[in-house]
Amino acid sequence: MRARLLAPENRKWLTLAAVTFGLFMIMLDNTVVNVALPSIQRDLGIGLSELEWTVNAYALTFAVLMLTGGKLADFMGRRRVFIVGLAIFTVSSLVCGLATSGEMLIAARTVQGVGAALMMPATLGIISATFPVEQRGMAIGIWAGVSAMALAFGPIVGGLLTEHIHWGWIFFINVPVGILAIVAARLVIRESRDTSADQRLDIPGLLVSGGALFALVFGLIEANTYGWTSPTILSLFAVAAVGLVAFVLLELRQRAPMLDLSLFRNGTFAGANVVAMLVFLAMFGVFFFVSIYMQNVLGYSPVEAGAVFLPMTVLIMFLGPVTGKLSDRLGSRWLVTAGMTLVGVSLLIYSGLDAGSGFWDLFPALILGGIGMATVMPPVTAAGIGSVPVAKAGVGSGVLNTFRQVGGALGIAVMGAIVASQIHVGPRNPAFVDQFMDGFSTALRVAAVIAFAGALIAAVLIRKYRHFEAAELAVEAA
């Protein structure tokens, strides 16, 4: 029976199931925390800045180390690095659930991001090594669908666990799942590594890019505390700007760069990455602050707040595969342009909410946002991966996912800075709600402008891509 299960035809699908099992945990942790934020804030007695870092610590570490995780997977073996990442993620999840202070939780979330950064690139590397060229697109499509589904289920899972058990269980649930995933990975995944490429790690690139990104996001989150024109904040922004320029110059001169900048000569690849960053920048702020708005202003419970997102999540789940297939036939350009426009309109609707709004005031924004996200995410992923040769699919996917994660971290930071700049009293002051709503509305209007800019970029840069599988098969057959 075991031999039949591990036959080549079955083994590749079991391998896909094993890597998507781990992937589901990674992506779930991007959004599962959001509806638990008010409960975490009350239990641990932390402020808005620490609350933002509870989300940003994971997203930023994930983004900064993802390319390095891909390099390590190629050098040390993809299954090995995937399992190591799973172990780190599982143990740090346990510590997150046991956290007794904001500092402890943020530190554990940072380590969680390290584990996720090791796992994510390895998943696509394993898929590429396991599936033949003619089935690789289908496997990557399933991978993308699981990613979207995990992001979609995060708010409702977080709400149910927070309200009926304790917020710590949004992390504890990862422990048995992680152990099962480790066992499955050891049983069904074959080891693979890239023996043809130079595997030298780009340590200078890692340090410079990580420092620049940290300086930028920390400056945005703390700008209201220190003052936007304070020497501390201006110095952080200067470090970020110099660091990003230095990173580009370093990568241009490296023999084996962490980020292959030549990929950006392809306008479709460049456009897909920028749009992926902008849509996550806009929407992560929505999940973060709309969750706080529903619970702290409208008085919703965590489960009710998670359930409110259900129309959006269902649309993303069911429309995502449809738009993915459409992008193969029609190209991604106009699908992404239309989707980003719908996202922008939904954000404008959110910006018009007030302290007396109810579910049916939220409903149009949820529907338009769900259709928009479903029309953006799969086609953008298809454009980004489809515009590079299969030989560079791992690097291309690593870059795309890095842009997405950086966009999410920046979105929370930018919108948090805007909201915080409008609040001048404590949360128990009667004026707090009005000041929060002023900041909330302004932040959502800024997010809408960002989404409309993404639509314009998609229309200008993204073109119909061609897959390289057929060409590779022809070369192999010759």
Side-chain angles (χ1 to χ4, degrees), residues 167-340:
W167 63 262
W169 278 92
I170 66 177
F171 302 111
F172 290 146
I173 196 172
N174 290 335
V175 177
V177 174
I179 292 170
L180 287 173
I182 291 170
V183 172
R186 288 188 61 83
L187 288 175
V188 303
I189 298 176
R190 292 186 185 277
E191 187 58 282
S192 64
R193 54 174 53 87
D194 185 355
T195 58
S196 63
D198 186 350
Q199 298 303 314
R200 176 176 169 270
L201 291 177
D202 179 15
I203 300 298
L206 168 65
L207 294 176
V208 172
S209 64
L213 288 167
F214 180 84
L216 175 62
V217 177
F218 185 82
L220 289 167
I221 288 177
E222 298 295 337
N224 191 59
T225 301
Y226 289 93
W228 283 88
T229 57
S230 70
T232 300
I233 298 302
L234 292 177
S235 297
L236 285 168
F237 289 158
V239 168
V242 171
L244 290 173
V245 171
F247 174 68
V248 171
L249 294 175
L250 271 173
E251 298 305 280
L252 289 172
R253 288 168 171 76
Q254 287 285 351
R255 180 166 53 90
M258 183 175 71
L259 175 57
D260 184 358
L261 295 174
S262 67
L263 292 174
F264 288 94
R265 294 173 186 167
N266 183 314
T268 297
F269 181 78
N273 278 279
V274 172
V275 171
M277 181 178 71
L278 294 181
V279 72
F280 269 63
L281 193 158
M283 294 308 295
F284 263 54
V286 168
F287 282 123
F288 185 88
F289 282 104
V290 172
S291 293
I292 293 175
Y293 160 75
M294 285 190 291
Q295 294 181 67
N296 288 356
V297 177
L298 300 186
Y300 285 17
S301 68
V303 168
E304 288 171 335
V308 165
F309 285 113
L310 201 56
M312 175 186 284
T313 60
V314 168
L315 284 168
I316 294 172
M317 283 173 51
F318 287 100
L319 290 182
V322 176
T323 60
K325 289 181 181 179
L326 280 175
S327 69
D328 282 336
R329 286 209 323 244
L330 307 175
S332 297
R333 180 186 185 186
W334 298 116
L335 286 170
V336 175
T337 300
M340 289 299 287

Side-chain angles (χ1 to χ4, degrees), residues 29 49 95 124 209 275 277 281 368-369 387 405 438 470:
D29 265 56
S49 178
V95 177
L124 279 173
S209 64
V275 171
M277 181 178 71
L281 193 158
L368 290 176
S387 59
Q405 292 303 315
D438 287 343

Side-chain angles (χ1 to χ4, degrees), residues 149-161:
M149 184 170 65
L151 288 172
F153 272 118
I156 189 68
V157 171
L160 287 168
L161 292 175

Side-chain angles (χ1 to χ4, degrees), residues 51-68:
L51 205 62
E52 289 170 354
W53 274 109
T54 300
V55 178
N56 271 339
Y58 175 80
L60 186 60
T61 310
F62 188 11
V64 170
L65 297 180
M66 204 176 314
L67 289 172
T68 301

Side-chain angles (χ1 to χ4, degrees), residues 8 17 102 122 128 180 195 204 211 213 242 255 267 298 335 358-359 380 389 397 414 416 433 435 437 444 473:
S128 296
L180 287 173
T195 58
L213 288 167
V242 171
R255 180 166 53 90
L298 300 186
L335 286 170
F359 172 74
V380 153
S397 64
V414 168
V433 171
Q435 292 182 5
M437 290 308 302
L444 270 295
L473 283 172

Side-chain angles (χ1 to χ4, degrees), residues 344-428:
V345 173
S346 75
L347 291 166
L348 287 177
I349 296 173
Y350 280 123
S351 72
L353 298 172
D354 57 36
S357 297
F359 172 74
W360 293 111
D361 299 301
L362 285 159
F363 189 72
L366 293 166
I367 295 298
L368 290 176
I371 296 172
M373 288 291 287
T375 311
V376 171
M377 289 171 62
V380 153
T381 303
I385 302 302
S387 59
V388 298
V390 171
K392 294 187 177 182
V395 173
S397 64
V399 173
L400 187 68
N401 283 304
T402 298
F403 268 72
R404 286 167 54 176
Q405 292 303 315
V406 170
L410 289 175
I412 294 169
V414 168
M415 294 185 200
I418 294 171
V419 172
S421 70
Q422 300 296 315
I423 298 175
H424 309 292
V425 298
R428 295 185 179 180

